[in-house]
Amino acid sequence: MLSRKIAAVTAAVLTAGAAVFAADATASPTGAAAVTHTYDFDNLDDVMQHDDGGSSGWWVDKDTTTARSGTQSARFRIRSYTSSGKPWIQWFYPSPQQSAALPIEISFYVRSPGSGPVNSWNAAAYASTVNPHSDSGSPSAGWQYQSITHTSNTWVKYTFTTTVNTLSAYELHVAAGIGATWPNTRTYYIDDVTVKIG
């Protein structure tokens, strides 16, 4: 179970919420300007890493050998021998804009040093007012997935959009990760995460 901290981006939580990812919107229903947060893993703020697979040896850290921009990326070392699961990194935003349908867009780049024909592993994202680890240590339902294209050493962008009901909410949680469903060990890199709110 992943629980240690890695030094990375500003405090904010990456989590895929109960809302279904849908079409993007450029502004919130109240007309407030959208706010965009970007993370390239080059700063010193802490980010929590988590894992719902229960497999030992899964971890996320910062890597200085593979970066799309800046000098570092988030490196996911995944062992999926005994069960499916998903390690992720997360941020939270306090006092989110109040809206019954606040548009959220999460995008990030994924890279793998190896290629292969099996596309059963997925880029994963989450946005909700519920922390993904609030359900008795298990992640909340609502994660969304896109099949990873296993092209060796190529950065591929994945974008997820949804709306979240933030009325009376104290926090907005956001997360990005890798969903593992194949019995193998792989390394993935994530960089240039962008979270657009509103």
Side-chain angles (χ1 to χ4, degrees):
M1 187 75 97
L2 290 164
S3 60
R4 61 181 188 158
K5 291 184 179 180
I6 60 173
V9 297
T10 58
V13 174
L14 249 153
T15 310
V20 175
F21 282 87
D24 183 26
T26 57
S28 68
T30 61
V35 176
T36 301
H37 304 271
T38 57
Y39 309 104
D40 63 4
F41 304 101
D42 286 343
N43 62 48
L44 300 178
D45 294 327
D46 285 345
V47 173
M48 294 300 295
Q49 64 172 16
H50 296 285
D51 163 31
D52 72 341
S55 300
S56 62
W58 295 28
W59 48 263
V60 181
D61 64 3
K62 293 203 300 183
D63 179 74
T64 59
T65 64
T66 304
R68 183 179 177 272
S69 68
T71 60
Q72 299 182 99
S73 64
R75 177 174 56 183
F76 288 69
R77 181 66 171 168
I78 303 172
R79 296 176 59 189
S80 183
Y81 288 126
T82 58
S83 66
S84 298
K86 123 181 108 273
W88 71 87
I89 49 178
Q90 64 182 66
W91 301 267
F92 75 94
Y93 304 93
S95 305
Q97 177 185 330
Q98 300 291 287
S99 171
L102 183 65
I104 308 293
E105 179 182 282
I106 302 165
S107 65
F108 52 91
Y109 289 83
V110 177
R111 179 174 177 168
S112 175
S115 62
V118 179
N119 286 334
S120 58
W121 289 27
N122 300 280
Y126 179 97
S128 175
T129 58
V130 178
N131 188 307
H133 243 314
S134 65
D135 182 18
S136 301
S138 299
S140 302
W143 281 87
Q144 301 296 311
Y145 304 93
Q146 293 182 30
S147 180
I148 290 175
T149 301
H150 289 289
T151 303
S152 180
N153 288 320
T154 300
W155 288 104
V156 179
K157 185 177 183 180
Y158 298 88
T159 300
F160 301 83
T161 57
T162 189
T163 59
V164 176
N165 184 342
T166 56
L167 294 177
S168 302
Y170 297 103
E171 294 178 337
L172 174 66
H173 297 263
V174 181
I178 302 294
T181 57
W182 189 257
N184 205 342
T185 297
R186 290 183 184 157
T187 299
Y188 288 96
Y189 301 89
I190 287 181
D191 205 357
D192 294 331
V193 179
T194 299
V195 179
K196 181 180 177 182
I197 304 173

